[in-house]
Amino acid sequence: MAGVGDIRRRIHSVTNMQQITKAMKMVAASKLRKSQNKVLASRPYSKQVQAVLSRVVQTEKNLRHPLLEQRDVKKVGYVLVTSDRGLCGGFNANLIRKAKSVINAQEKESALIAVGRKGIDFFLPRDVKILTQFTGLGDDPHYEHASQIADEVIHQFTSGAVDEVYLIYSKFVSVLTQKPSVQKLLPIEPYGEKANGSYLYEPSPEEMLSRLLPLYLKSQIYSALLENKASEMGAKMTAMDAATQNAKDMIAKLTLEMNRARQAAITTEISEIVGGASALE
């Protein structure tokens, strides 16, 4: 059995760790609230851009644009969004597992546009080619980050490096639930119910489409970055809460062990005293 001094030092060490995890939980909770507000604010805008784009594409059948081009799929690109840092439970592991399952199920050649250090570190030594890396987005992703990623996605698609592009990110459901999701980005396809009636466009449908398509792509990626960051903070908050509770349980266990060690030491001393007194008689 360890000595009382050793156990006391372990209790002190675990207590310090508990204070750190508790502080990290509070920081994650504060950042989660900000990220959650941004997610809720971005969803209506993203859906509206999708709706407008869908109406334009469905009503104007003869429109042509490089981002709408359907071609034989030989190589598939995936935009994988992970975090730069850990300490968020199984958040990154779930995203990487989702990406692996999607890539393995795809019989065609695959390539990655990796956003986040964790995804890069996992896939870099493996067979999947990483076309571009994006790191250092921080805890508050900006629209400029999404714009840079979208420009790279457009370049890879229009140059013929990839024939389809999918987005893999974590959709924020609640603090306890984050859902790894896959969304098709390119070629852009209309969604939802078929548009009825005819529309008059100002400017022309072609010019409107040339503006809408990049905007749509950037809005989808920006929304995914916000969803992913809110999911990361929710996972980190949950993980730090669990770590704090584990530290509390360990302190209680070590305290009990220290009391037993102290009682054993006292019993031994009493036995020695009694034995010494008996020997003197």
Side-chain angles (χ1 to χ4, degrees):
M1 181 182 292
V4 175
D6 293 335
I7 299 175
R8 185 177 286 113
R9 282 189 290 271
R10 288 181 62 188
I11 291 175
H12 180 71
S13 176
V14 175
T15 301
N16 290 339
M17 192 178 302
Q18 183 188 36
Q19 292 173 350
I20 293 172
T21 57
K22 187 175 181 180
M24 292 180 68
K25 174 192 171 184
M26 295 174 65
V27 172
S30 175
K31 292 180 178 179
L32 172 62
R33 283 192 292 271
K34 295 179 182 178
S35 299
Q36 191 173 359
N37 290 336
K38 286 189 174 183
V39 166
L40 296 177
S42 71
R43 284 176 178 173
Y45 175 78
S46 179
K47 289 180 179 180
Q48 190 61 37
V49 172
Q50 281 183 327
V52 173
L53 177 62
S54 181
R55 287 197 295 270
V56 174
V57 174
Q58 289 182 27
T59 55
E60 301 294 330
K61 299 296 184 181
N62 296 324
L63 289 177
R64 295 290 182 267
H65 193 278
L67 300 184
L68 297 174
E69 181 184 356
Q70 300 279 349
R71 52 182 185 248
D72 292 337
V73 179
K74 299 177 181 178
K75 191 171 185 177
V76 183
Y78 297 94
V79 181
L80 173 61
V81 186
T82 58
S83 68
D84 286 326
R85 292 173 290 183
L87 297 178
C88 46
F91 171 74
N92 290 303
N94 292 335
L95 281 168
I96 291 171
R97 191 181 301 113
K98 183 70 173 180
K100 283 178 61 181
S101 66
V102 172
I103 292 172
N104 292 337
Q106 181 68 257
E107 297 179 355
K108 301 173 178 65
E109 186 180 355
S110 301
L112 280 180
I113 296 174
V115 182
R117 177 60 57 188
K118 291 299 179 179
I120 295 170
D121 291 344
F122 180 85
F123 282 102
L124 196 59
R126 288 168 173 79
D127 294 335
V128 182
K129 182 180 179 182
I130 297 180
L131 299 173
T132 316
Q133 304 177 11
F134 292 92
T135 58
L137 272 62
D139 293 330
D140 185 20
H142 297 292
Y143 188 78
E144 289 76 12
H145 297 139
S147 181
Q148 293 173 7
I149 297 170
D151 289 342
E152 180 62 26
V153 170
I154 293 172
H155 169 70
Q156 295 293 341
F157 182 77
T158 55
S159 66
V162 294
D163 302 306
E164 280 184 344
V165 181
Y166 290 86
L167 178 63
I168 302 175
Y169 68 102
S170 183
K171 186 174 181 63
F172 179 78
V173 180
S174 67
V175 176
L176 298 176
T177 307
Q178 302 85 36
K179 182 181 178 182
S181 304
V182 181
Q183 176 186 345
K184 187 174 183 179
L185 287 180
L186 294 174
I188 295 173
E189 299 174 349
Y191 88 106
E193 298 180 358
K194 186 176 180 180
N196 296 320
S198 60
Y199 295 87
L200 296 176
Y201 296 100
E202 180 65 34
S204 65
E206 291 79 8
E207 186 175 349
M208 189 172 182
L209 196 66
S210 66
R211 297 181 183 181
L212 269 179
L213 291 178
L215 179 63
Y216 162 80
L217 200 62
K218 292 174 183 179
S219 69
Q220 296 306 301
I221 294 176
Y222 181 56
S223 179
L225 293 179
L226 294 178
E227 296 268 1
N228 209 72
K229 183 55 64 175
S231 298
E232 178 191 345
M233 291 304 161
K236 182 171 289 187
M237 180 179 169
T238 303
M240 291 302 101
D241 182 60
T244 302
Q245 185 59 46
N246 289 340
K248 181 180 178 181
D249 295 341
M250 186 174 292
I251 290 171
K253 181 180 177 180
L254 289 172
T255 302
L256 181 60
E257 186 177 341
M258 183 181 67
N259 291 336
R260 288 175 177 173
R262 184 183 298 161
Q263 290 174 354
I266 293 172
T267 302
T268 302
E269 290 179 3
I270 293 174
S271 299
E272 291 175 351
I273 293 171
V274 173
S278 300
L280 293 177
E281 292 179 355

